[in-house]
Amino acid sequence: MSLGGPPNQALDNAVNTAVDRGIIAVVAAGNENKDASTSSPARAAKAFTVGAIDQRDNKAIFSNFGNLLSIWAPGVDVLSAGNTTPTSTRSMSGTSMATPHVAGVFALYLSGKATGILPAQIQSLVKNATNSTGGGLRIAQVPKA
């Protein structure tokens, strides 16, 4: 999900209920450079919340942060679709650019192993794979202090 705003319990409940029903909710942390616990749906307990890093694996200056973040992914100067022609591109930044990297990993995993696995199990697999040394999964490099 690439949306966010002030705390909204109804939105948080909807995300949590979706996860309880088998949907993986990958959400953008937000771009206000503040704790993600102040934004919905980033603060939803069962959301897989994504912060943005730059090309040097540092926290992007705009990215929300905090204990609720599940993972970090590239979110600065990401090549994206443009809107001037059917084939145009443009470079964009934001946690909305980082989130699709993570959602894509989940989609690839689900495309081959979707039977009988719960969203929480996939989240654990992604976290464990990206936190291991030498795993080569750049999406999860923890920003340098």
Side-chain angles (χ1 to χ4, degrees):
M1 293 182 173
S2 180
L3 57 98
N8 182 311
Q9 195 58 53
L11 180 56
D12 297 343
N13 290 345
V15 168
N16 292 332
T17 298
V19 173
D20 287 342
R21 293 184 179 172
I23 304 296
I24 297 172
V26 181
V27 304
N31 302 318
E32 296 80 33
N33 191 32
K34 63 182 183 179
D35 195 302
S37 67
T38 63
S39 300
S40 288
R43 71 180 196 145
K46 296 180 181 180
F48 202 80
T49 304
V50 183
I53 55 174
D54 65 18
Q55 295 85 343
R56 293 188 173 159
D57 293 339
N58 294 311
K59 178 187 131 347
I61 60 171
F62 53 79
S63 182
N64 286 359
F65 52 85
N67 293 334
L68 293 179
L69 265 67
S70 304
I71 201 165
W72 297 88
V76 176
D77 295 329
V78 176
L79 187 62
S80 185
N83 62 358
T84 56
T85 70
T87 59
S88 66
T89 60
R90 69 182 231 190
S91 186
M92 297 172 58
S93 297
T95 56
S96 293
M97 295 291 101
T99 302
H101 287 91
V102 178
V105 170
F106 281 111
L108 285 171
Y109 186 82
L110 286 170
S111 70
K113 301 182 181 183
T115 56
I117 193 161
L118 302 172
Q121 293 170 309
I122 296 172
Q123 289 178 2
S124 177
L125 288 169
V126 171
K127 281 185 182 179
N128 290 335
T130 57
N131 288 331
S132 64
T133 56
L137 291 174
R138 185 171 184 313
I139 64 166
Q141 296 296 320
V142 176
K144 299 170 188 164

